[in-house]
Amino acid sequence: SPPGAYGAGLLPLIDSGDWKDKEDLTAVFCRWGNHAYDASGQSSEQEDFLRQRLKKIEVVHQNQDNREHDILDSDDYFQFHGGLHAAIESLRGEAPKTYHGDSSLPDQPKVRTLREEFVRVVRSRVLNPKWIEAMRRHGYKGAFEMAATVDYLFGYDATTDVADAQHYEEIAQRLLLDSEQQKFFRRHNPRALQESIERLLEAADRELWSQPDTNTLHSLRDVHYSLESSLE
């Protein structure tokens, strides 16, 4: 990253919606992460060299040494892990093999494909009724965490194509359209619901959410319209 900065530049880019494809994501990833530092701490931009190195990478691995968080509750994961995958795929013309390492139990380390880890997190946490109920107990902040999870899932899919249509459908139905969830969001943080719906509709527009159910899209748009009226 540039001196005094942090991140891979992808979060503000994806939040703005000002991108078209992985080439745009790669341009920002390489522009943001092209600083080389010498022993004295001085930096210089080395984007050509970075791109040359990325073209030779065949495997991407992200290790996690604790279970206090997962790949869908921090933007760092999709920015760095996903961003690296996207940049390599764009520059090589072929997607790298991408893995997630779990060393939370040092004597029993596990390595899963990104796809396996993604599905595991979606099933065990994101769509888990116990987690959803726990977030409801935190009111405004719980609603924010649900919306953040939707954002990070979108970011991972934008960079790595890891999500399927069924994941978007289930999140739409269980997190956003469920009647109890509607009551919760509208009471504690309607803006979070509005932004999450916008993210799913964007996924459909960009065809990340392939062949979405027409009735589901209509329902999402109806809720979004009603929120626009109530929040004005």
Side-chain angles (χ1 to χ4, degrees), residues 15 23 30 51 67 78 100 105 117 120 127 133 157 166 180 190 194 208-210 215 224 228:
D15 279 349
E23 282 69 28
C30 290
R51 286 174 174 266
R67 277 284 153 232
F78 87 75
H100 177 274
L105 298 175
E117 180 66 10
R120 191 189 71 80
L127 298 176
E133 180 57 34
D157 197 29
Q166 67 181 30
E180 290 301 313
Q194 183 184 45
L208 294 174
W209 181 359
S210 60
N215 291 331
H224 190 266
E228 281 188 326

Side-chain angles (χ1 to χ4, degrees), residues 36-174:
Y37 291 80
D38 62 24
S40 67
Q42 297 300 308
S43 72
S44 61
E45 296 186 40
Q46 301 284 346
E47 186 166 337
D48 289 343
F49 180 64
L50 172 62
R51 286 174 174 266
Q52 290 171 16
R53 298 301 295 161
L54 291 175
K55 289 178 182 179
K56 298 180 180 180
I57 295 175
E58 298 177 8
V59 176
V60 175
H61 179 272
Q62 167 76 48
N63 191 64
Q64 182 179 346
D65 62 5
N66 65 77
R67 277 284 153 232
E68 295 179 1
H69 47 81
D70 59 53
I71 63 173
L72 296 181
D73 68 4
S74 171
D75 63 85
D76 284 342
Y77 286 105
F78 87 75
Q79 285 203 78
F80 289 99
H81 196 200
L84 190 56
H85 176 107
I88 294 167
E89 180 180 3
S90 176
L91 293 170
R92 290 182 68 218
E94 179 182 355
K97 298 183 186 303
T98 302
Y99 298 95
H100 177 274
D102 177 1
S103 60
S104 55
L105 298 175
D107 58 338
Q108 300 178 43
K110 297 179 180 178
V111 176
R112 304 179 181 94
T113 65
L114 173 60
R115 165 73 180 186
E116 290 170 336
E117 180 66 10
F118 176 85
V119 172
R120 191 189 71 80
V121 171
V122 169
R123 296 294 174 210
S124 64
R125 200 258 296 174
V126 180
L127 298 176
N128 187 333
K130 291 183 179 180
W131 180 76
I132 293 173
E133 180 57 34
M135 290 301 99
R136 287 177 186 164
R137 292 197 295 270
H138 288 276
Y140 176 91
K141 177 60 173 174
F144 172 86
E145 292 297 335
M146 290 180 184
T149 292
V150 174
D151 271 349
Y152 305 151
L153 183 147
F154 176 89
Y156 247 121
D157 197 29
T159 52
T160 67
D161 304 306
V162 72
D164 289 338
Q166 67 181 30
H167 298 125
Y168 285 108
E169 178 68 25
E170 289 180 298
I171 285 170
Q173 296 296 339
R174 296 171 67 176

